[in-house]
């Protein structure tokens, strides 16, 4: 038995255990606590053997400790004596099946810290845990106390990924490195780099220089960072937005990632999402162009590479050859998503290809396209991965599927014996809102709070044990249509990256939301010390309501995602303070008011104040009869239109009732004949979510529910271009008249406008309250 191992076993055998809280994310597999602390000071040395294999690890630890503590430690080599003290030692084990390729043991004793692993990667992940043992308090000290602890740890999944889209908005090389550092900090090991799309080509290709000379720049109609502007190239031109990474930049970033045991998976989109490429080389399209690079959030897009033109495949093979020379990892991501096949249906060359290859339709033409590319990539010793649309028309033999449109793509791939990475929009899209939209920066839509990320289980229940082995892991995606700056990107991924890292690393049975929330509070403080823009949306107050139609009242429940967070509120319109009323039990509301609430700790407000308005009126809590049924978004049923609750600009806040393609025809029974002089209805418009204001609104009143009299009619023009979400009231005052029934007719726009991505598809109409005075 070797002297070092003897020393550790002897120490552990006499180690009295005690419970001490530590905050490590992702949560380790096993933690045992001892007594006493290790004192880290300027005399502490770092020792590693064999030195060469562990150089990136020890260098990273030395730099990390210097950044966190200000201490500059020295590295040593050679034989380490069993009696050596005040040392952090690394040792590679020849074989230890309990740890696996990425596992580690971290043992902190009062006199020594020891790291054991089979690989440098395992040692690197031990370093991440070690750095999180440091105290969070700011300032510099001469020494730091680390708790005595033994951690044995290994990841659940081999693919622990984060994605970054740099096409819609370009990010500088320094931020890409910082993003990789965040992955490393969270023990994530795959950086999916989305380098090309309709809005920009970001990778230098020597054989096709116009891809970056033309395709990396666009005239943008949106707010964009000044540092990404290029001055006009010709007199009279407008400044253009964009940028790209040279091949030297990419080599530098790939090396930077490799030193942190992160594999970079490049994505080169095909056959769709190629407008930037076609702006440079229109001859590879079905139409011949001309094309321009599109603004950051422009849609719809029908452009596609011509699958009937052999020169298209020559072009792609040339591009992919240079890409594979830059990225040494196994996988090349080829996109494959959202391929509008309209041009293929009209293209003689594509139709000739379908006939010559004996294909059934354009879906099989896409499969032909993917399989042809896969054959080339496989011949170079690599593998393709693509979004789940590559399943359509038949999956390529060695393809891996990234399941984003829910989980069905991953299930289908696994059942066919193909590997899959799970990345559904419902839990893994970090461009979605993470808190109440009224207090969040503008987003593309959707709602993925940190608790939903943490609750995600990558292995679907419908898979057998054998099929489940094909699930490689999970990945979160950051698309940047509405994210123009590094600071905004930080806000969107932090702290949701923490939750995703634990989903990918920690065994399902070892995950607990309450426990995680406590550790997350510590991690947020670390981010603040690091100067990172971390969201605190988990502390935003949420409102849940229950209606009592008999008592004409509402019960309002307040909560945050983090259990036990103190909430204070006001009902007089003022902002809550630490001295405001403490929420302790549900509130009973029987009059119009606005509740404003915030979560507080000993230092003040934890996140922005949120509010909820209740409007009591003559129709409040009165029964409603609907001619057409709502679709999916019920808001609690017909009574939602008279429940006194008003919705926010977020369509899925539970207050809006949605009608897809149908009109709203709602009749309110006031249950008595009363004087009516005003009717108001509220509607939401959010074109990004296919929601539009009504084409027209009509108000009627009646004494008997048969003969109705018109009292108001509004005509509303449809939008002619993309617009942000907004709420509009249609209000009408009229001479008081007796009525028992009030009818509201709101005409749905019918179909999405010609400029919209959903052109010709049913539009949504969202309504939240019928107010009668």
């Amino acid at each position: 038995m070797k002297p070092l191992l003897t020393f550790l076993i002897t120490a552990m055998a006499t180690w009295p255990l005690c419970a001490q809280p530590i905050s490590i994310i992702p949560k380790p597999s096993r933690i045992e606590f001892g007594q006493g602390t290790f004192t880290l000071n300027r005399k502490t040395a770092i020792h590693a053997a064999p030195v060469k294999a562990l150089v990136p690890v020890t260098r990273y630890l030395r730099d990390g400790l210097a950044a966190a503590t200000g201490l500059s430690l020295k590295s040593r080599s050679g034989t380490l004596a069993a009696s050596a003290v005040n040392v952090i030692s690394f040792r590679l084990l020849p074989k230890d099946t309990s740890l696996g390729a990425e596992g580690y043991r971290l043992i902190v004793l009062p006199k020594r810290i020891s790291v054991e692993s089979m690989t440098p990667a395992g040692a690197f992940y031990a370093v991440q845990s070690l750095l999180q043992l440091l105290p969070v308090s700011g300032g510099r000290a001469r020494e730091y106390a680390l708790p005595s602890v033994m951690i044995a740890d290994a990841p659940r999944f081999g693919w622990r990924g984060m994605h970054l889209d740099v096409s819609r908005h370009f990010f500088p090389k320094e931020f890409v490195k910082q993003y990789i550092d965040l992955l490393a900090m969270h023990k994530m090991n795959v950086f999916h780099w989305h380098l090309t799309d309709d809005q920009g080509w970001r990778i230098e290709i020597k054989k096709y220089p116009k891809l970056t000379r033309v395709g990396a720049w666009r005239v943008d109609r949106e707010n964009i960072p000044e540092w990404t502007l290029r001055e006009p190239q010709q007199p009279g031109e407008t400044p253009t937005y964009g940028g790209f990474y040279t091949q030297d930049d990419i080599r530098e970033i790939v090396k930077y990632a490799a030193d942190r045991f992160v594999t970079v998976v490049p994505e080169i989109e095909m056959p769709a999402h190629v407008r930037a490429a076609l702006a440079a080389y229109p001859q590879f399209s079905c139409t011949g162009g001309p094309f321009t690079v599109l603004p950051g959030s422009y849609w719809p897009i029908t452009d596609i590479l011509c699958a009937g033109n052999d020169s298209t495949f020559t072009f792609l093979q040339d591009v992919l050859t240079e890409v594979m020379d830059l990225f040494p990892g196994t996988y090349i991501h080829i996109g494959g998503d959202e391929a509008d096949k309209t041009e293929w249906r009209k293209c003689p060359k594509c139709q000739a290809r379908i006939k010559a290859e004996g294909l059934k339709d354009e879906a099989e033409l896409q499969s032909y396209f993917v399989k042809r590319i896969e054959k080339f990539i496989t011949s170079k010793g690599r593998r393709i991965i693509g979004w789940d649309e590559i399943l359509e028309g038949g999956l390529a033999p060695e393809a891996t599927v990234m399941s984003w449109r829910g989980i069905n793509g991953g299930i289908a791939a696994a059942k066919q014996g193909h590997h899959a990475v799970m990345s559904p929009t419902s839990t893994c899209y970090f461009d979605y809102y993470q808190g109440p939209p009224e207090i969040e920066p503008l987003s593309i839509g959707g709602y993925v709070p940190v608790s939903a990320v943490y609750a995600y289980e990558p292995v679907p229940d419908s898979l057998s044990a054998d099929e489940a082995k094909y699930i490689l892991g999970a990945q979160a995606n950051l698309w940047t249509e509405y994210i123009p700056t590094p600071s905004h990107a930080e806000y969107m991924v932090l702290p949701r990256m923490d939750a995703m890292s634990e989903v990918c690393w920690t065994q399902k049975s070892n995950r607990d939301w309450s426990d995680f929330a406590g550790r997350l509070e510590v991690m947020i403080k670390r981010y603040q010390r690091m100067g990172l823009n971390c969201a605190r949306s988990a502390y935003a107050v949420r409102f849940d309501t229950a209606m009592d139609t008999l008592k004409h009242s509402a019960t309002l429940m307040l909560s945050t995602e983090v259990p036990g967070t103190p909430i204070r509120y006001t009902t007089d319109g003022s902002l809550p303070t630490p001295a405001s009323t403490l929420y302790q039990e549900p509130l009973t509301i029987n009059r119009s008011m606005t509740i404003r609430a915030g979560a507080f700790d000993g230092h003040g407000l934890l996140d922005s104040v949120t509010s909820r308005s209740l409007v009591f009126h003559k129709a409040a809590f009165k029964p409603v009869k609907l001619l057409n049924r709502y679709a999916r978004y019920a808001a609690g049923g017909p009574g939602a239109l008279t429940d006194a609750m008003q919705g926010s600009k977020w369509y899925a806040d539970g207050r809006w009732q949605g009608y897809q393609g149908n009109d709203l025809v709602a009749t309110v029974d006031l249950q008595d004949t009363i004087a009516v002089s005003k009717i108001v209805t509220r509607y939401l418009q959010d074109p990004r979510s296919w929601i539009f204001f009504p084409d027209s609104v009509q108000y009627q009143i009646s004494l008997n529910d048969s003969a109705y009299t018109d009292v108001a009619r509004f005509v509303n023009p449809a939008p002619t271009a993309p617009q942000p979400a907004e709420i509009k009231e249609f209000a009408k005052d009229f001479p008081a008249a007796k009525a028992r029934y009030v009818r509201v007719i709101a005409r749905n726009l019918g179909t999405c406008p010609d400029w919209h991505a959903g052109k010709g598809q049913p539009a949504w109409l969202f309504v939240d309250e019928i107010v009668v005075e």
Side-chain angles (χ1 to χ4, degrees):
M1 186 176 289
K2 296 185 178 181
L4 177 60
L5 187 57
T6 303
F7 172 80
L8 293 174
I9 289 176
T10 302
M12 291 294 292
T14 59
W15 196 356
L17 301 181
C18 62
Q20 297 179 18
I22 62 173
S23 296
I24 295 177
I25 295 177
K27 186 177 182 179
S29 304
R30 178 186 169 203
I31 304 175
E32 293 183 0
F33 296 97
Q35 292 185 340
T37 58
F38 175 88
T39 301
L40 181 75
N41 54 40
R42 62 185 181 85
K43 293 183 179 180
T44 304
I46 300 172
H47 183 277
V51 175
K52 185 176 182 181
L54 290 167
V55 164
V57 180
T58 56
R59 181 170 56 235
Y60 184 94
L61 174 60
R62 187 178 63 244
D63 293 345
L65 288 173
T69 68
L71 298 175
S72 180
L73 305 188
K74 295 182 178 180
S75 298
R76 296 176 182 172
S77 58
T79 303
L80 180 67
S83 59
V85 297
N86 201 13
V87 65
I88 304 172
S89 68
F90 290 82
R91 179 168 175 263
L92 293 181
L93 305 175
K95 186 176 182 181
D96 189 328
T97 56
S98 67
L99 294 178
E102 295 182 292
Y104 66 89
R105 267 191 296 272
L106 171 64
I107 304 170
V108 181
L109 299 172
K111 294 184 178 181
R112 178 190 296 188
I113 296 175
S114 300
V115 174
E116 298 178 340
S117 64
M118 287 178 56
T119 65
F124 183 79
Y125 299 134
V127 165
Q128 300 303 330
S129 293
L130 177 60
L131 291 173
Q132 290 189 45
L133 292 178
L134 290 168
V136 182
S137 57
R140 289 288 187 263
R142 292 185 176 182
E143 57 184 35
Y144 296 82
L146 277 62
S148 292
V149 67
M150 191 282 288
I151 298 174
D153 199 10
R156 180 185 179 191
F157 292 109
W159 187 296
R160 307 181 298 280
M162 284 293 301
H163 157 286
L164 177 65
D165 166 26
V166 296
S167 175
R168 277 53 177 268
H169 282 104
F170 177 72
F171 294 91
K173 176 177 64 176
E174 292 73 20
F175 175 72
V176 176
K177 289 182 175 181
Q178 178 188 315
Y179 199 79
I180 291 169
D181 278 328
L182 288 174
L183 268 72
M185 179 180 180
H186 292 84
K187 303 184 177 79
M188 305 185 91
N189 64 348
V190 177
F191 172 44
H192 176 173
W193 201 4
H194 186 80
L195 288 162
T196 72
D197 214 298
D198 298 294
Q199 294 82 9
W201 185 283
R202 306 297 181 208
I203 175 173
E204 179 189 25
I205 301 297
K206 301 285 190 182
K207 192 166 186 177
Y208 297 93
K210 289 171 65 178
L211 285 172
T212 47
R213 191 166 69 236
V214 175
W217 306 93
R218 66 181 187 244
V219 177
D220 213 312
R221 295 193 296 268
E222 303 172 359
N223 293 326
I224 52 178
E226 292 184 1
W227 49 266
T228 56
L229 288 176
R230 181 176 67 174
E231 292 303 313
Q233 304 298 293
Q234 300 292 335
E237 281 189 353
T238 302
T240 49
Y241 165 84
F244 65 93
Y245 307 97
T246 68
Q247 292 198 359
D248 285 342
D249 289 336
I250 289 172
R251 291 188 187 94
E252 180 182 337
I253 289 169
V254 169
K255 174 64 165 57
Y256 189 86
D259 285 346
R260 288 150 181 78
F261 302 92
V262 173
T263 299
V264 184
V265 175
E267 181 175 357
I268 308 298
E269 283 274 15
M270 60 186 80
H273 287 281
V274 289
R275 182 68 175 262
L278 294 180
Y281 296 97
Q283 63 266 36
F284 302 125
S285 71
C286 292
T287 64
F291 303 95
T292 57
V293 184
L294 296 175
S297 60
Y298 183 89
W299 39 272
I301 304 165
T302 59
D303 305 312
I304 196 167
L305 291 167
C306 182
N309 189 345
D310 282 333
S311 65
T312 298
F313 294 96
T314 301
F315 163 71
L316 290 174
Q317 289 173 6
D318 290 341
V319 168
L320 290 170
T321 296
E322 293 193 35
V323 169
M324 286 186 282
D325 285 343
L326 294 170
F327 296 92
T330 301
Y331 283 100
I332 303 295
H333 203 300
I334 63 165
D337 60 311
E338 298 177 325
D340 187 311
K341 302 173 180 63
T342 301
E343 292 182 3
W344 280 0
R345 296 186 187 99
K346 298 185 293 185
C347 175
K349 291 183 179 179
C350 290
Q351 292 303 308
R353 178 80 73 189
I354 290 174
K355 184 176 180 180
E357 298 293 334
L359 306 175
K360 184 172 64 176
D361 54 20
E362 288 76 20
E364 289 195 358
L365 180 60
Q366 178 167 343
S367 178
Y368 164 84
F369 191 111
V370 171
K371 289 176 180 177
R372 185 163 172 174
I373 293 298
E374 186 207 35
K375 184 177 180 180
F376 172 73
I377 291 177
T378 302
S379 73
K380 304 296 183 181
R382 308 296 186 86
R383 298 186 65 178
I384 69 164
I385 184 170
W387 302 108
D388 54 54
E389 284 94 332
I390 67 173
L391 285 158
E392 297 170 6
L395 191 57
E398 301 297 327
T400 297
V401 171
M402 187 165 281
S403 188
W404 74 280
R405 297 178 303 174
I407 63 174
N408 290 336
I411 292 172
K415 287 185 176 294
Q416 294 177 37
H418 287 263
H419 287 112
V421 176
M422 305 304 285
S423 190
T425 58
S426 58
T427 51
C428 299
Y429 269 49
F430 288 2
D431 54 332
Y432 286 12
Y433 287 110
Q434 56 189 313
E438 62 267 26
I439 63 170
E440 292 290 312
L442 179 64
S443 178
I444 198 168
Y447 180 53
V448 180
V450 65
S451 59
V453 179
Y454 192 79
Y456 178 56
E457 169 48 42
V459 179
D461 291 337
S462 58
L463 295 181
S464 67
D466 286 339
E467 292 166 341
K469 295 175 183 177
Y470 289 101
I471 303 300
L472 296 178
Q475 174 178 294
N477 301 323
L478 186 67
W479 302 99
T480 62
E481 287 93 335
Y482 295 88
I483 304 174
T485 65
S487 177
H488 192 170
E490 289 172 9
Y491 184 89
M492 300 305 282
V493 300
L494 300 176
R496 288 187 285 191
M497 186 187 291
D498 296 77
M500 179 55 65
S501 73
E502 198 147 306
V503 166
C504 293
W505 181 278
T506 307
Q507 293 295 326
K508 181 181 179 181
S509 60
N510 201 23
R511 283 162 40 201
D512 176 83
W513 167 251
S514 295
D515 172 66
F516 173 78
R519 287 179 284 120
L520 184 62
E521 184 177 353
V522 176
M523 185 63 83
I524 289 175
K525 292 177 181 177
R526 292 189 190 278
Y527 294 145
Q528 292 173 332
R529 279 197 60 198
M530 295 166 68
L532 297 172
N533 186 22
C534 175
R536 300 181 66 87
S537 311
Y539 296 100
V541 177
R542 275 75 169 167
F543 298 86
D544 293 300
T545 57
M547 313 310 299
D548 189 328
T549 56
L550 295 178
K551 294 183 179 180
H552 284 208
S553 66
T555 300
L556 196 63
M557 288 76 73
L558 312 184
S559 64
T560 70
E561 287 186 85
V562 181
T565 306
I567 297 172
R568 296 186 180 272
Y569 68 94
T570 63
T571 59
D572 61 0
S574 64
L575 288 173
T577 70
S580 297
T581 304
L582 178 67
Y583 173 78
Q584 294 178 305
E585 60 184 14
L587 309 176
T588 299
I589 312 297
N590 54 19
R591 61 183 176 85
S592 296
M593 68 171 61
T594 296
I595 311 292
R596 309 185 79 178
F600 290 83
D601 65 6
H603 302 285
L605 187 66
L606 290 170
D607 194 40
S608 300
V609 170
T610 55
S611 63
R612 175 61 55 84
S613 295
L614 294 92
V615 180
F616 284 73
H617 50 91
K618 291 180 178 180
F621 311 112
K622 298 300 170 64
V624 179
K625 182 173 63 177
L626 300 174
L627 179 63
N628 301 317
R629 186 172 176 80
Y630 41 81
R632 193 186 321 167
Y633 298 95
L641 299 184
T642 56
D643 65 1
M645 305 297 296
Q646 293 188 334
S648 66
K649 289 183 180 180
W650 176 39
Y651 69 90
D653 68 1
R655 302 267 59 87
W656 293 101
Q657 195 170 87
Y659 295 80
Q660 188 178 26
N662 280 335
D663 301 331
L664 166 71
V665 182
T667 303
V668 182
D669 182 357
L670 300 175
Q671 297 181 316
D672 196 6
T673 300
I674 61 174
V676 175
S677 60
K678 184 177 184 179
I679 302 174
V680 184
T681 53
R682 297 172 85 244
Y683 302 89
L684 174 68
Q685 180 164 274
D686 187 355
R688 294 167 303 157
S689 302
W690 299 27
I691 302 168
F692 298 91
F693 288 142
D695 179 71
S696 64
V697 177
Q698 185 177 359
Y699 297 153
Q700 300 175 333
I701 59 175
S702 172
L703 292 170
N704 54 17
D705 197 23
S706 59
Y708 278 86
T709 301
D710 288 345
V711 293
R713 181 178 177 85
F714 308 84
V715 176
N716 191 68
T720 57
Q723 297 178 2
E726 62 175 315
I727 296 170
K728 186 173 184 178
E729 286 190 349
F730 291 79
K732 179 65 176 178
D733 292 283
F734 50 88
K738 296 289 185 179
R740 164 76 185 266
Y741 299 92
V742 172
R743 178 169 291 169
V744 175
I745 303 170
R747 303 290 183 188
N748 192 306
L749 189 61
T751 58
C752 298
D754 288 347
W755 55 265
H756 192 269
K759 172 185 177 182
Q761 298 298 313
W764 283 89
L765 171 69
F766 272 59
V767 59
D768 77 340
E769 186 76 1
I770 299 173
V771 176
V772 177
E773 301 290 356

